Amino acid sequence: MQLNNHTSSYGWIAIFIHWGMAITLIGLAIVGLWMVDLGYYSPWYQVAPFWHKSIGLLLIPLLLFRFYWRWRQPTPAAPKGHSQWERVMAGMTHTLLYALLAVILVSGYLISTAKGEGISLFGWFEVPAIISGIEGQADLAGKVHYWAAISMLALAALHALGAVKHHLIDRDTTLVRMLKPSSPTYED
């Protein structure tokens, strides 16, 4: 089982983190948009934010591990047919996706801790409110959280369309190598 990346494909750890975070973020975005309209008497009024916050908190160490893993592992080289602008665009897109995710996680934390209360992580323990009491903290962090999430979803859609374009039109290994590891080759 190929856990590590090599120069022509990603390993299972990078693949699992990529798809796990992608599915989780889409789910959190859907729940986040849905829960802001919940009424006080809805049975989901407290349950949905509890799960949204707890899962969001789990993404913080996962994102840090993802940064570490990306730093420690080789990034597969782009297939030979990719033009310079495609390589630059891919790099910028990945960087912006990581930055937006970090902004979403920090702003979510700031929304939840604005009143000085910690955040329960699945009821196991409480993550303390380190930063709180800033005037308008919840409102400002809420706007940042919302717009960063919308921007990330739009950018992720562009990212997905690019992968599909490479698979269906260019017929290269861009998408396939994020679905399963392949044997090391140098002819991609």
Side-chain angles (χ1 to χ4, degrees):
M1 176 180 276
Q2 180 188 319
L3 297 178
N4 295 324
N5 298 352
H6 56 73
T7 56
S8 61
S9 79
Y10 292 95
W12 282 116
I13 292 174
I15 292 169
F16 175 76
I17 293 171
H18 175 270
W19 291 108
M21 288 185 86
I23 292 165
T24 301
L25 289 165
I26 291 167
L28 284 175
I30 291 167
V31 169
L33 291 170
W34 167 71
M35 74 183 188
V36 295
D37 291 329
L38 291 175
Y40 181 77
Y41 295 105
S42 168
W44 293 100
Y45 184 75
Q46 291 183 343
V47 174
F50 171 82
W51 285 96
H52 186 85
K53 292 174 191 179
S54 291
I55 293 169
L57 284 173
L58 287 182
L59 286 178
I60 295 170
L62 187 58
L63 179 62
L64 293 174
F65 178 75
R66 188 172 187 171
F67 287 151
Y68 169 78
W69 192 255
R70 188 167 172 97
W71 173 61
R72 296 291 295 162
Q73 293 290 307
T75 300
K80 288 183 180 181
H82 287 204
S83 65
Q84 182 64 26
W85 75 267
E86 287 174 310
R87 293 171 196 227
V88 169
M89 188 71 134
M92 288 175 25
T93 300
H94 284 114
T95 301
L96 194 51
L97 282 169
Y98 286 132
L100 286 168
L101 180 52
V103 167
I104 290 165
L105 295 173
V106 170
S107 61
Y109 172 82
L110 292 173
I111 295 166
S112 300
T113 59
K115 294 181 181 176
E117 299 170 8
I119 308 167
S120 174
L121 180 68
F122 296 113
W124 300 331
F125 62 89
E126 191 170 280
V127 176
I130 298 170
I131 301 170
S132 64
I134 300 169
E135 186 177 338
Q137 178 175 330
D139 290 337
L140 178 59
K143 288 177 185 167
V144 170
H145 191 72
Y146 174 81
W147 287 109
I150 295 298
S151 299
M152 189 192 66
L153 289 173
L155 194 59
L158 178 67
H159 174 70
L161 285 173
V164 169
K165 175 248 184 208
H166 281 290
H167 187 71
L168 296 177
I169 296 172
D170 300 340
R171 301 205 181 276
D172 64 33
T173 60
T174 301
L175 178 61
V176 173
R177 66 187 184 173
M178 190 44 84
L179 296 174
K180 68 180 181 82
S182 63
S183 299
T185 65
Y186 301 97
E187 299 179 24
D188 289 337

